[in-house]
Structure formats: C-alpha cells, structure tokens
Amino acid sequence: MLGSGGREHALSWKLAQSHAIANEGGQLFACPGNPGVAQFATCFEMDVTDHELVLAFCEQERIALVVIGPEAPLVDGLADSLRAEGLAVFGPSQAAAQLEGSKGFTKDLCARAGIPTAGYVRATSLGQARAALDGFSPPYVLKADGLAAGKGVVIAETRPEAEVALDDMFGGAFGDAGAEVVIEEFMTGEEVSFFVLTDGATILPFGTAQDHKRVGDGDTGPNTGGMGAYSPARVFTPELRAEAMQKIVAPTVRQMADDGVPYSGVLYAGLMLTSEGPKLVEYNARFGDPECQVLMMRLEDDLADYLYACATNALASMPPPRFSSDVALTVVMAAKGYPGTPEKGGLIVLGDAEADGAVVFQAGTVLDEDDGTLRASGGRVLNVTARGADVQAAQAAAYAAVDKIDFASGFCRRDIGWREVARG
C-alpha cells in the first residue's frame, strides 16, 4: 500500500480484514503510512519516485499485490515500472492516469467519444485564457490542468474575479499544474461521486457518494480536498446510474482501449446531475478522499479479492460487490487555517470516539517522538466515520464521535449530509 492519508487508512483497515491477511498469515506493508495505518500494516519510509527502489523492496518482500493510493505516483508512471517486472499492481498506467493528471486530456477524450460534459476551452497562456472568457457567462469555472491536490478549481462569480484567478494560476499559485488552464461552462445541479472498478474490459460499479467540497457550513467558502461525505447517494437513482454507465463510464473505458491506453484500476467519475441528465465534471484515477472512507465502511466483500482481480485482468470472474444497506457518513476534522495555511502540531486525544462503532481514520497525523502523543501534521487531519440505518442516524453517530475527540486546534463542518437529510 502506497500513501499516507485517510484514504490509505481506510484501505488498510479493510485490507486487514481480507482472508489472505486475517486468516492466511499474509502481511500488509504501507509506505509511508501514518499512525492509523500502523495499526494494520508495517509502515516504512521510501522514496516512491525511485522506481528501482520500490521494485527492489517488492522483490525482497515477495509482494503479491501493490495498491497505489494517491494520484501522484500514478501520474509519475510507477504502475508501469512495476508491471514491467511482472508485479500485480492496482492502479492505472501513466498514460491512462492522464484522466486525472490532465483535465484537458479528459475534456478532449469526452469530445471524441461524445461523452456529455460542460463546454470548455483549453488555454496555454494568460492572454489566451482572458480572451476565452468572452465565450462564457458567469459564474466562470477555471481549472488548473494538472494535479493540484484537489484545490485547483476556482468558481468565479464575476469577470474581474475570473481574471484575478487566471493571474494566480498562470502566476504559479498551483505550480506546474497551472501551466495550462481549462475554462468551462458552469453546470447546475447536484454533484455525485460514482466509482467503478475496471481492468480495461470488464466494468463493475463500486458504490456512490456525495462529497462536500466547500470549507464552511452551507457549502460556503473556498473549495477543499473534501470536508466530509456520505454513501450511498440516494439522489443518484438506479436509472441515473444506468444512464451514466451507458453514456459516460463505458464510452470512456472503450475510448481509452481504442486509443491504446487501456484503463485498469478504480475510476472515479464526478458527475453533475443536470436537467439534461448526468454530465461528467471530472475523473479521478484513484479512490476519493473522503469518499473511500464511507465506501470501505459499507463494503461487505473481501477488498483484496477485487483489487487483485482488477490488477490481473480477471474482473470478469468476480460477482458484483456487495455493500451494506446502511448509510455511512464521514466528517473531516481539519486544522485551523485549512485550506490556506493549516496550524500544525495540535494535540489530538481520540478518547473513546470509537466506542460505539465509529471509526476514526487518520489523515494528517504524526506521533510526537518525545512523548508519543498524536499531533496534527496536515490540513485534513481526521475522518470520523460512522454507519446508521439512514443518513440521520449515521450523521448523529458520526458527530457524537466527533464530540468525544479533544482537538482544540481543529474544526469541522456541522452539516455533512445536509442534502440527504433535507430530502427526509
């Protein structure tokens, strides 16, 4: 397992329950992991950009399956390097990971395959981008083309705001990710997250969720990597799911194969449910964070079996995965200052937050070397996750666990799941 966030804690938690590890004496390694992951895996530090080093470790430990959690190693081509040496890897190739690594790549693929999405223009200079604004009406959707840790999207309400945002993007606010910008038309509707597993041929639906991107209650403030999520997304009906599979996901997998870059791994489609039907907002080449946490809480089958089948082109032999009918909901506790400059080093005391069945997945945490206390080390710090018979019960259980945690320099939204609660 490669990665260190809440997603990787959730994956490690679920993989540790797999038959091969829980019953057959298998071992789980994580690089670099975090204090939460360390409850289930042997954690170690290694430079994952050094592909030869990663390969040597896998050979030394006779690793049967490599699970790449975050997007950066995928875009860096780590999966290719390991597969070239015969290792089973869960995660797409470098070429296929462009679905997340380049928003322009994905928009162009949608245009070729006739996949419904927002109208767009790609711009490679500030002047070109400013001129392109003439073809759009406010609010303006501006996206840094490359990886920006979930923060490279700006929705500008006015033309002056859009021009300032473009200045920032091309001025280096998002590093190399902003060297090219995609300008899109604004879509209206509810956004949902739809996950599938695919080995490039077979596609298995793997759950739905709704994320909460804005930092503040009522979906106010700047975008973040996600302040909470719940699953399933009831608004994404079976009929809408079938339409999204037929018009968006299946054509994408087919087009990638036709282009000679078959996609293998989890494909995360961010969809907007518009009055004209589902439209693609973006693709991610890995499990969402914090959506992964709620999916793992509901998954009833052996995760390792599905990931291995996906990595070995054997997904056609697997039945559709089973998920609990319960709702799972996760609340992100972030460090003050996030998503700007988060306050690091805050003391965290979990207490008995997990006493009633909740699970606290750790994202940005570290153990203090001097006294062994748990400290905040990032922006999004904890993912407090619970299940319930409905969204109201799951929400109540998650916030009851939040209220048992002593994290004075942290904060959270108090309305995760509000859309579903409002639907009654």
Side-chain angles (χ1 to χ4, degrees):
M1 161 73 65
L2 298 178
S4 63
R7 169 182 50 229
E8 287 73 36
H9 187 174
L11 290 172
S12 298
W13 174 79
K14 194 64 182 178
L15 285 170
Q17 301 168 33
S18 295
H19 185 77
I21 294 175
N23 302 109
E24 297 181 359
Q27 190 171 0
L28 183 62
F29 293 92
C31 174
N34 64 39
V37 174
Q39 300 172 54
F40 309 101
T42 300
C43 295
F44 62 97
E45 294 283 345
M46 181 170 58
D47 180 6
V48 298
T49 65
D50 186 337
H51 296 189
E52 290 297 323
L53 186 62
V54 178
L55 177 62
F57 176 86
C58 292
E59 291 177 340
Q60 173 187 319
E61 299 296 340
R62 301 171 64 188
I63 300 298
L65 173 66
V66 179
V67 178
I68 302 177
E71 61 275 21
L74 295 170
V75 173
D76 186 46
L78 180 59
D80 304 77
S81 298
L82 299 180
R83 282 198 187 98
E85 299 302 322
L87 285 162
V89 183
F90 180 78
S93 67
Q94 182 177 44
Q98 289 181 92
L99 280 178
E100 177 168 4
S102 170
K103 294 177 178 63
F105 172 89
T106 299
K107 299 298 284 191
D108 288 350
L109 179 139
C110 289
R112 293 197 309 277
I115 294 168
T117 188
Y120 73 103
V121 170
R122 298 178 70 171
T124 57
S125 70
L126 178 59
Q128 186 183 16
R130 285 192 166 193
L133 291 176
D134 293 338
F136 295 86
S137 301
Y140 303 91
V141 181
L142 315 172
K143 298 181 176 181
D145 180 72
L147 299 180
K151 304 186 188 87
V153 178
V154 175
I155 300 174
E157 298 294 336
T158 66
R159 177 70 177 253
E161 286 180 19
E163 292 181 349
V164 169
L166 290 174
D167 289 344
D168 290 341
M169 288 182 175
F170 283 103
F174 300 110
D176 293 341
E180 181 175 334
V181 171
V182 174
I183 302 171
E184 295 184 3
E185 66 174 334
F186 182 82
M187 293 190 290
T188 301
E190 279 197 53
E191 194 169 346
V192 300
S193 303
F194 179 35
F195 297 84
V196 303
L197 297 183
T198 180
D199 54 12
T202 300
I203 305 172
L204 286 183
F206 204 77
T208 66
Q210 267 196 313
D211 189 12
H212 298 63
K213 288 293 186 189
R214 299 280 190 166
V215 73
D217 285 8
D219 290 331
T220 58
N223 273 325
T224 71
M227 294 300 294
Y230 69 92
S231 172
R234 189 175 56 164
V235 69
F236 193 51
T237 63
E239 294 76 18
L240 288 174
R241 190 184 81 169
E243 184 178 353
M245 280 288 288
Q246 178 188 358
K247 295 181 178 180
I248 298 174
V249 176
T252 297
V253 173
R254 187 166 55 246
Q255 186 68 52
M256 293 290 282
D258 290 347
D259 290 346
V261 284
Y263 189 97
S264 174
V266 60
L267 186 58
Y268 161 10
L271 305 174
M272 188 69 74
L273 305 183
T274 75
S275 59
E276 300 171 341
K279 293 186 178 183
L280 181 70
V281 176
E282 64 178 1
Y283 277 127
N284 288 327
R286 34 73 192 184
F287 284 108
D289 190 349
E291 294 96 335
C292 181
Q293 289 82 316
V294 289
L295 290 177
M296 293 305 110
M297 285 287 280
R298 294 183 57 238
L299 179 64
E300 295 184 331
D301 283 316
D302 190 316
L303 177 64
D305 287 348
Y306 282 87
L307 302 192
Y308 188 76
C310 193
T312 56
N313 300 313
L315 209 53
S317 67
M318 300 295 291
R322 296 171 302 157
F323 288 86
S324 168
S325 60
D326 281 357
V327 173
L329 185 143
T330 189
V331 178
V332 171
M333 297 188 75
K336 290 178 180 177
Y338 179 77
T341 303
E343 181 180 325
K344 294 185 179 182
L347 176 66
I348 303 165
V349 180
L350 298 179
D352 63 347
E354 296 184 328
D356 296 320
V359 180
V360 181
F361 295 118
Q362 297 182 33
T365 61
V366 66
L367 286 178
D368 190 299
E369 294 181 359
D370 294 327
D371 58 16
T373 55
L374 192 65
R375 301 276 176 173
S377 64
R380 293 185 298 164
V381 180
L382 304 173
N383 312 138
V384 186
T385 313
R387 280 171 45 167
D390 53 33
V391 71
Q392 290 90 346
Q395 184 190 62
Y399 280 110
V402 165
D403 291 338
K404 294 177 181 178
I405 296 172
D406 184 359
F407 180 22
S409 62
F411 73 97
C412 68
R413 283 182 56 164
R414 304 297 304 195
D415 65 345
I416 301 302
W418 70 268
R419 289 186 184 87
E420 189 69 2
V421 170
R423 276 188 273 270

